[in-house]
Amino acid sequence: MASASDVHVRICGQEIVKYDLEIKALVQDIRECCGPQAVLLDLNSTVKEKFNQLRLRIQDMEQMAKEEDRETDKQAILSETQSHRKQMLSNQMAWRKANLACKMAIDNLEKDELLQGADSVRQRKATKESLVQTSSDITESLMSISRMMSQQVQQSEETIGSLATSSRTVQETNEEFKAMTGTIHSGRKLILKYNRRELTDKLLIFLALALFLATVLYILKKRLFPFI
């Protein structure tokens, strides 16, 4: 039957193995970590805590070895404790190497980000210059359109002025035509009046001539044929 001391040693050994496995897993996470720095700091903080707990358990096991009465049991526990210490040192070396690898990866990533940032800055600068050029082209185009519209407005004003002049000319011609029409109408009335007067004068002349001839004939008749 196992003694209480053996049970305590066994439990302490199991806890040491558990911390050892947890440390190995954390070291692997650090080795595969590519940042950011905050993640690496959190992982290292957890590893330090696990190492402290592991160190305390190894010290507990060493204290149990010192309390053993039998030399053989003491040496066995001390041998196991020494093995755990060597494993802890190996884990510490692996931890340092994992940190170096992680830091190199983070440095390279930051360099790449800086290069990408520089490229991004250059791209933004080029984009800004392109936008400035585009804005300048648009402004020039708007100014050209404005000049064209101004010319068209001026041409429209000239056309309207020409139409107004033509309208006035047509109106004046129309007034002159109306005046000429009135004159022609008055002349026509005068011609008709003169024609009627001429006809009346001709009729009066004809009647006077007839009366004259009748008178002459009457006088001749009285003188030549008084007895008739």
Side-chain angles (χ1 to χ4, degrees), residues 7-179:
V7 173
H8 290 160
V9 170
R10 191 179 300 112
I11 293 173
C12 187
Q14 290 175 353
E15 290 180 350
I16 290 172
V17 172
K18 183 189 73 170
Y19 290 134
D20 178 72
L21 294 174
E22 289 176 350
I23 289 171
K24 282 182 170 62
L26 289 167
V27 169
Q28 183 63 29
D29 290 340
I30 292 173
R31 188 179 291 111
E32 295 175 355
C33 177
C34 294
Q37 289 284 353
V39 175
L40 179 60
L41 290 174
D42 289 339
L43 289 172
N44 281 325
S45 177
T46 305
V47 171
K48 287 178 182 179
E49 182 181 351
K50 296 298 180 181
F51 268 121
N52 289 332
Q53 293 172 350
L54 177 61
R55 192 177 293 108
L56 290 174
R57 291 295 174 270
I58 292 173
Q59 289 175 356
D60 290 343
M61 185 173 282
E62 288 176 343
Q63 184 64 31
M64 292 176 188
K66 292 177 183 179
E67 294 174 354
E68 282 291 334
D69 295 331
R70 289 183 296 180
E71 188 64 27
T72 54
D73 292 339
K74 181 186 291 186
Q75 291 300 323
I77 296 171
L78 287 175
S79 177
E80 184 179 353
T81 303
Q82 188 65 27
S83 176
H84 289 316
R85 280 192 176 277
K86 288 181 179 179
Q87 187 60 46
M88 184 177 67
L89 292 173
S90 176
N91 287 336
Q92 287 177 339
M93 292 296 295
W95 182 31
R96 293 191 188 96
K97 290 180 180 179
N99 268 281
L100 290 173
C102 180
K103 287 180 180 179
M104 287 181 63
I106 292 174
D107 289 341
N108 291 332
L109 183 62
E110 288 178 350
K111 289 179 182 178
D112 292 339
E113 289 178 352
L114 287 174
L115 292 174
Q116 290 177 0
D119 293 339
S120 178
V121 169
R122 286 194 293 269
Q123 185 176 3
R124 286 197 298 269
K125 183 179 180 182
T127 303
K128 185 177 180 181
E129 292 176 353
S130 177
L131 289 173
V132 170
Q133 182 63 37
T134 302
S135 178
S136 178
D137 293 341
I138 292 173
T139 302
E140 182 64 27
S141 178
L142 289 174
M143 291 179 65
S144 178
I145 292 172
S146 178
R147 288 194 294 268
M148 290 176 61
M149 291 180 66
S150 178
Q151 292 176 357
Q152 289 180 354
V153 169
Q154 185 176 359
Q155 291 178 358
S156 298
E157 290 177 351
E158 293 176 355
T159 302
I160 291 172
S162 177
L163 289 173
T165 303
S166 300
S167 177
R168 286 194 298 271
T169 303
V170 170
Q171 187 176 2
E172 291 174 357
T173 304
N174 189 28
E175 292 294 332
E176 291 179 357
F177 178 75
K178 287 180 179 179

